[in-house]
Amino acid sequence: MSRLTALSVQNYRCFPDLTTLELRPLTLLYGWNDSGKSALLRLLPLLSASVAADATSPLNLFCEANRGGGFHDLLWKGERDESADNSLFIGFDFADAPLSRIEYRIGMESDRLIVKSLTTHEAGVVGLGVTIERPGRLGFPGLVPDEKTSDKGMQKIHAQMSGLRNAVQWLGGVREIKRNYPTLGTAPRRLSASGVDAPHMLRLDQTLRTAVSGWYKDRTNKILDFKDLDGDYRILLRPEGSGKMDIALMDSGEGMIQVLSVLTAVERARRGDGPRIVAVEEAESHLHPNAQRDLAEQLCKSFTSEVSG
């Protein structure tokens, strides 16, 4: 199975020059505020949404991670040579795949987003790669070519890029929960960016709940539990061994709220029943330094387990 190992961009937000984000089992982005960390991280959900089966445009600008921006909001705003190509360059690097690299140049034409050029690099072959200009004529509605194309090269691209569908779970920098939840009897396939629906997943999946609750138990000596109400339920952080003390998670420390969806997404990725790439902004938000260390250890353990097992 092919594996995405890096993303490259040029002429993107605050990155006028070619910039590469390597994707390891655990990749950390840290630095000053307004230095481009969030811009790079949000590429992951944006591009994942742009390879969806129902994609009608090279970039899904309606993706939640794009926050209502247009194509021009994605481009570098600084000084540039007037003769320079004002397109967005995006490159995907793969391991264990027929194509080691796929590169796109995306731009506007008559108020419409188009793929201006597409370049592929064969695995194990040193060279400049094969470039197709204006690939739309080959049935290329978005970042994934039409699966009905008869072109062999486009079929390879389809196979690899469609493998990125539903591959990314993005959690924004501010997560939340509700005090009460309706009893739905079902859970979403993936978390929203706010992580507000994590309790639905935990309530209906005992194994997932046990794993996530174990982190709380080891750090706070409390476990996650649920209290049934009239048609609703409430998620609790209950002292172990005290079945009568109901403490709503909403009323616990803010760090305990913020980390819930992070732990849920990571455990689902480790088990293989959730998106395998988890992109989280401010994962350690509001956690005590000791709990930040514990979360880092959990991340290392989870993704080492996911890769090896």
Side-chain angles (χ1 to χ4, degrees), residues 124-303:
V125 177
V126 179
L128 297 177
V130 177
T131 299
I132 303 172
E133 300 293 340
R134 299 187 61 81
R137 61 186 174 82
L138 296 176
F140 206 100
L143 291 182
V144 178
D146 189 335
E147 63 180 341
K148 297 179 181 179
T149 178
S150 60
D151 184 273
K152 299 296 185 182
M154 299 294 272
Q155 289 175 1
K156 288 183 180 180
I157 299 169
H158 179 276
Q160 285 188 212
M161 295 303 294
S162 62
L164 298 179
R165 288 173 176 166
N166 301 314
V168 177
Q169 171 66 68
W170 174 57
L171 293 173
V174 179
R175 276 83 65 186
E176 60 179 311
I177 62 169
K178 297 178 181 178
R179 182 169 295 279
N180 296 335
Y181 285 84
T183 302
L184 299 178
T186 185
R189 295 184 62 184
R190 68 174 56 213
L191 294 165
S192 62
S194 70
V196 69
D197 33 18
H200 286 314
M201 293 182 174
L202 296 170
R203 181 173 172 85
L204 294 176
D205 189 328
Q206 180 62 53
T207 303
L208 178 63
R209 185 199 316 179
T210 298
V212 173
S213 184
W215 188 89
Y216 285 91
K217 176 182 175 182
D218 292 343
R219 279 82 196 169
T220 68
N221 202 31
K222 299 174 184 176
I223 59 174
L224 294 175
D225 203 353
F226 294 92
K227 180 178 181 179
D228 290 324
L229 304 172
D230 185 15
D232 293 339
Y233 69 89
R234 179 175 298 174
I235 186 168
L236 311 175
L237 192 58
R238 172 175 285 162
E240 190 178 24
S242 176
K244 298 181 179 180
M245 188 172 181
D246 295 338
I247 303 174
L249 183 59
M250 175 71 81
D251 296 326
S252 65
E254 186 64 28
M256 298 296 98
I257 295 173
Q258 294 291 307
V259 78
L260 180 72
S261 55
V262 177
L263 295 169
T264 301
V266 167
E267 178 61 17
R268 295 185 75 233
R270 188 194 69 79
R271 299 192 321 182
D273 55 2
R276 63 183 183 273
I277 299 175
V278 180
V280 185
E281 299 183 31
E282 305 289 346
E284 79 290 359
S285 180
H286 291 278
L287 288 177
H288 184 277
N290 287 347
Q292 293 181 17
R293 178 200 62 206
D294 293 339
L295 176 60
E297 291 177 350
Q298 181 71 20
L299 295 177
C300 291
K301 181 175 67 174
S302 295
F303 287 110

